[in-house]
Amino acid sequence: MLKGKTALVTGSTSGIGLGIAQALAQQGANIVLNGFGDIEGPKAAVAAHGVQVAYHGADMGKPAEIEDMLRAAAQQFGRVDILVNNAGIQHVSRIENFPTERWDAIIAINLSSAFHATRLALPAMQAANWGRIINVASVHGLVASAEKSAYVAAKHAVVGLTKVTALENATTGITCNAICPGWVLTPLVQKQVDARAASAKVSIEEAKRQLLSEKEPSMQFTTPEELGALAVFFCSAAGNNIRGVAWNMDGGWVAQ
Ligand code: NAD
């Protein structure tokens, strides 16, 4: 379905980004990976789908590095047809104790990076009159939780950016939508599970159960594979006129 297209997925060496990159590769898209940590494992996992894979190590908190990544992707593949703004970090703390450096980093990596990648990817999409921009927001783009001020502020703003991007391109073949996952058991959430297990002096399994029971009626984690399938749907012809939605996949979290 996506043969001949190129997808750039930010923060795709792990978790949800890697799941989405694999799902798009399974449909034939060439992939530009980005993120930190192990590179060779994720590259091999995506290449196993028989597509071309590139990697760029841009720090998504640094606009000049994002510019370099978009330039490199265009040089190698012609243009980016599908942009998935996924890179993100978390910090959990009450506002009065929130380190200002963490606030700045979360706003830069979780929000401003999406603006920069989008502004740089749009002109080539507009010239081709086709494009898909998928912003990985969160249920925290729709509702709040205590002790996540920067994250909740950034994710609500990403949902706003999604709507503006969709409107500005509404008469074109370019769509922009947000995906809003509930709990997904990735390294980002494992840290929160571990912290709860340590502070409540319970097992990891019990900490996971407690985390789910507070927010997620299904008592199930959403998986990167399920989120990858939603991204593929947005890229399909059925998604041609889906514009500016924030689609939660959250086990009933925001239905309450
Ligand atoms: P993760 O920690 O598994 O992956 C994060 C990815 O981003 C990694 O590849 C990491 O290397 C990369 N990254 C981090 N900082 C970066 C930077 N400065 N520059 C470039 N890459 C950077 O986390 P995840 O859970 O897969 O999160 C992915 C996205 O999904 C985030 O935007 C997160 O907010 C969102 N999300 C996660 C959950 C969840 O429950 N895990 C729920 C809702 C939304």
Side-chain angles (χ1 to χ4, degrees), residues 11 13-14 16 36 59-60 86 137 151 155 181-182 184 186-189:
T13 50
S14 169
I16 295 169
F36 303 144
D59 178 339
M60 296 306 294
N86 167 78
Y151 189 86
K155 294 299 188 180
V184 187
T186 64
L188 183 142
V189 162

Side-chain angles (χ1 to χ4, degrees), residues 8-74:
L8 166 58
V9 187
T10 71
S12 46
T13 50
S14 169
I16 295 169
L18 182 54
I20 292 177
Q22 284 185 268
L24 296 174
Q26 204 168 21
Q27 298 299 322
N30 296 323
I31 304 290
V32 182
L33 292 173
N34 158 260
F36 303 144
D38 175 38
I39 313 299
E40 292 313 314
K43 261 178 127 171
V46 173
H49 297 287
V51 299
Q52 290 182 60
V53 188
Y55 167 80
H56 194 288
D59 178 339
M60 296 306 294
K62 299 189 172 144
E65 294 188 21
I66 301 173
E67 284 177 17
D68 192 62
M69 177 169 67
L70 268 290
R71 225 178 355 252

Side-chain angles (χ1 to χ4, degrees), residues 6-222:
T6 297
L8 166 58
V9 187
T10 71
S12 46
T13 50
S14 169
I16 295 169
L18 182 54
I20 292 177
Q22 284 185 268
L24 296 174
Q26 204 168 21
Q27 298 299 322
N30 296 323
I31 304 290
V32 182
L33 292 173
N34 158 260
F36 303 144
D38 175 38
I39 313 299
E40 292 313 314
K43 261 178 127 171
V46 173
H49 297 287
V51 299
Q52 290 182 60
V53 188
Y55 167 80
H56 194 288
D59 178 339
M60 296 306 294
K62 299 189 172 144
E65 294 188 21
I66 301 173
E67 284 177 17
D68 192 62
M69 177 169 67
L70 268 290
R71 225 178 355 252
Q75 244 164 31
Q76 181 158 357
F77 293 110
R79 71 168 172 271
V80 171
D81 304 283
I82 300 164
L83 170 65
V84 183
N85 289 310
N86 167 78
I89 57 170
Q90 175 65 284
H91 185 81
V92 180
S93 172
R94 288 178 61 88
I95 292 172
E96 60 272 27
N97 302 324
F98 212 91
T100 58
E101 161 280 318
R102 284 291 84 198
W103 171 278
D104 290 344
I106 289 175
I107 298 301
I109 295 164
N110 295 18
L111 170 59
S112 301
S113 72
F115 160 70
H116 290 297
T118 298
R119 75 176 168 83
L120 293 162
L122 271 173
M125 289 180 180
Q126 286 160 346
N129 198 31
W130 196 92
R132 292 289 185 264
I133 300 175
I134 299 171
N135 294 326
V136 179
S138 167
V139 282
H140 286 118
L142 305 169
V143 294
S145 295
E147 301 193 354
K148 295 186 175 174
S149 55
Y151 189 86
V152 169
K155 294 299 188 180
H156 273 68
V158 165
V159 170
L161 175 67
T162 301
K163 292 175 184 173
V164 175
T165 309
L167 289 180
E168 288 184 4
N169 294 281
T171 59
T172 76
I174 303 161
T175 70
C176 179
N177 295 289
I179 293 179
C180 299
W183 291 122
V184 187
L185 196 56
T186 64
L188 183 142
V189 162
Q190 187 65 48
K191 274 191 213 154
Q192 295 171 61
V193 170
D194 295 346
R196 177 184 281 261
S199 75
K201 297 194 179 18
V202 295
S203 67
I204 297 288
E205 280 317 303
E206 175 56 18
K208 283 183 198 163
R209 203 198 59 75
Q210 287 180 8
L211 211 73
L212 288 168
S213 69
E214 276 171 9
K215 301 277 187 183
E216 199 146 324
S218 67
M219 292 299 288
Q220 282 173 41
F221 289 99
T222 298

